[in-house]
């Protein structure tokens, strides 16, 4: 397996092809706006906030990968990456994540070998970061009592 195939496999795992852990598509299956905003205490992240956070970092790193700068907007702290800066609906937020991951896949498929070799350490860390937060989303859903074991990770 070469670098491109490895990165594409990682991107699929966090986007839409469950394996050892569920993909984001599976983790968000059936999540309502109310569930996306739920938290069990003030300092805990919500599902919606976590998806916003991943949108921010995935977009920032994709822009860098493509040589288009970095962050889509300025934040003063990591905490602000969890905010809904675009005031998107829940449906728009999940659609934006799906679209962004498709953009990532397309960018990796079409990039040069040199770009892949240079950027692969950042991208592998980014996919691990996504997997970590997908696990948090599944845990939040389990706390809510709405996780469907049929989706995986019982």
């Amino acid at each position: 397996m070469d670098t491109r195939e490895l990165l594409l496999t990682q991107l699929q795992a966090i986007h839409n092809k469950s394996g050892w852990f569920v993909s984001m598509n599976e983790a968000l299956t059936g999540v309502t706006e109310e569930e996306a905003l739920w938290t069990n205490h003030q300092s805990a992240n919500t599902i919606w906030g976590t998806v916003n956070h991943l949108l921010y970092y995935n977009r920032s790193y994709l822009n860098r990968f493509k040589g288009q700068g970095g962050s889509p907007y300025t934040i003063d702290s990591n905490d602000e990456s969890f905010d809904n800066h675009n005031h998107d609906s829940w449906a728009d937020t999940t659609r934006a994540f799906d679209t962004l991951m498709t953009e990532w896949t397309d960018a990796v498929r079409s990039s040069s070998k040199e770009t892949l070799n240079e950027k692969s350490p950042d991208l592998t860390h980014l996919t691990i970061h996504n997997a970590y937060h997908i696990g948090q989303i599944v845990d939040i859903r389990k706390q809510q009592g709405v996780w469907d074991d049929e989706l995986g990770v019982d």
Side-chain angles (χ1 to χ4, degrees), residues 5-26:
E5 291 171 12
L6 177 65
L7 294 173
L8 289 170
T9 298
Q10 288 182 339
L11 286 167
Q12 285 180 329
I14 61 171
H15 179 205
N16 58 11
K17 189 173 181 183
S18 296
W20 285 26
F21 56 89
V22 298
S23 66
M24 182 64 92
N25 281 5
E26 293 293 328

Side-chain angles (χ1 to χ4, degrees), residues 8-116:
L8 289 170
T9 298
Q10 288 182 339
L11 286 167
Q12 285 180 329
I14 61 171
H15 179 205
N16 58 11
K17 189 173 181 183
S18 296
W20 285 26
F21 56 89
V22 298
S23 66
M24 182 64 92
N25 281 5
E26 293 293 328
L28 296 179
T29 296
V31 174
T32 66
E33 184 173 320
E34 180 182 4
E35 292 165 352
L37 291 169
W38 180 89
T39 183
N40 62 356
H41 59 85
Q42 188 176 2
S43 64
N45 295 328
T46 65
I47 292 172
W48 199 334
T50 301
V51 175
N52 287 331
H53 171 76
L54 291 175
L55 278 167
Y56 175 80
Y57 282 103
N58 280 289
R59 173 58 62 200
S60 297
Y61 277 79
L62 180 59
N63 289 348
R64 287 184 205 138
F65 185 86
K66 291 177 165 183
Q68 300 173 347
S71 304
Y73 47 84
T74 303
I75 60 173
D76 294 324
S77 70
N78 183 59
D79 289 345
E80 291 180 22
S81 68
F82 290 84
D83 296 340
N84 187 356
H85 293 277
N86 296 327
H87 308 288
D88 288 336
S89 69
W90 173 237
D92 288 342
T93 300
T94 58
R95 205 171 9 261
F97 186 86
D98 189 60
T99 299
L100 180 56
M101 297 316 298
T102 299
E103 287 180 50
W104 255 120
T105 299
D106 293 344
V108 168
R109 277 196 181 113
S110 64
S111 65
S112 69
K113 238 180 172 178
E114 293 77 25
T115 298
L116 285 178

Side-chain angles (χ1 to χ4, degrees), residues 97-141:
F97 186 86
D98 189 60
T99 299
L100 180 56
M101 297 316 298
T102 299
E103 287 180 50
W104 255 120
T105 299
D106 293 344
V108 168
R109 277 196 181 113
S110 64
S111 65
S112 69
K113 238 180 172 178
E114 293 77 25
T115 298
L116 285 178
N117 289 333
E118 176 190 341
K119 306 284 186 175
S120 64
D122 280 343
L123 184 48
T124 57
H125 283 102
L126 187 70
T127 57
I128 293 167
H129 177 243
N130 277 269
Y132 169 79
H133 284 297
I134 292 167
Q136 286 184 320
I137 290 169
V138 171
D139 186 58
I140 292 168
R141 296 195 68 197

